[in-house]
Amino acid sequence: MKADALRGHLDGLLLATLDGRQLHGYAIIEALQQRSGGAVDLPTGTVYPALRRLERAGYVCSEWSTVGGRRRRTYRLTRSGMGTLHAERRAWREFTAAIEGVLGDVVTPA
């Protein structure tokens, strides 16, 4: 799945991936791949700018740590980010229900 196909949903995907955990950028990319069965494979050039934008918006916060001699920036949701994630999930359920109503199989009464 290309980044263009995910336009408008990237923030929700990143926030959901961070729900309940603190991850560094590459671990976020791996988690997206794993949770989507490999369908979502985003380049670092898409994910890192989005994480910085979410941080500026106050939805995630980050901190530097050293793991195995390497410095890593880890991200976690803020309280505001949790609220935004809940809103994103609600909007997604409404969107998918509406699209399913149009694209789903229509059963015609006999």
Side-chain angles (χ1 to χ4, degrees):
M1 198 172 290
K2 302 276 189 219
D4 283 350
L6 300 173
R7 192 178 316 275
H9 303 289
L10 180 59
D11 290 359
L13 291 170
L14 293 173
L15 294 174
T17 302
L18 289 169
D19 189 10
R21 47 194 185 162
Q22 186 170 338
L23 298 170
H24 60 85
Y26 189 71
I28 293 169
I29 292 169
E30 289 179 325
L32 281 167
Q33 289 173 334
Q34 181 182 24
R35 290 174 66 174
S36 69
V40 177
D41 185 15
L42 298 174
T44 57
T46 297
V47 173
Y48 285 106
L51 287 169
R52 286 192 293 278
R53 182 175 38 75
L54 290 170
E55 187 170 25
R56 283 191 307 272
Y59 301 145
V60 300
C61 60
S62 68
E63 62 185 43
W64 287 98
S65 61
T66 303
V67 178
R70 296 182 63 200
R71 284 181 43 90
R72 290 184 174 171
R73 181 177 235 165
T74 56
Y75 299 87
R76 66 179 172 80
L77 290 181
T78 62
R79 181 169 292 183
S80 179
M82 279 301 299
T84 301
L85 175 57
H86 290 304
E88 288 278 340
R89 285 180 167 151
R90 186 173 39 257
W92 177 253
R93 285 190 298 273
E94 291 170 2
F95 174 77
T96 56
I99 297 304
E100 181 62 29
V102 176
L103 292 178
D105 293 331
V106 178
V107 178
T108 344

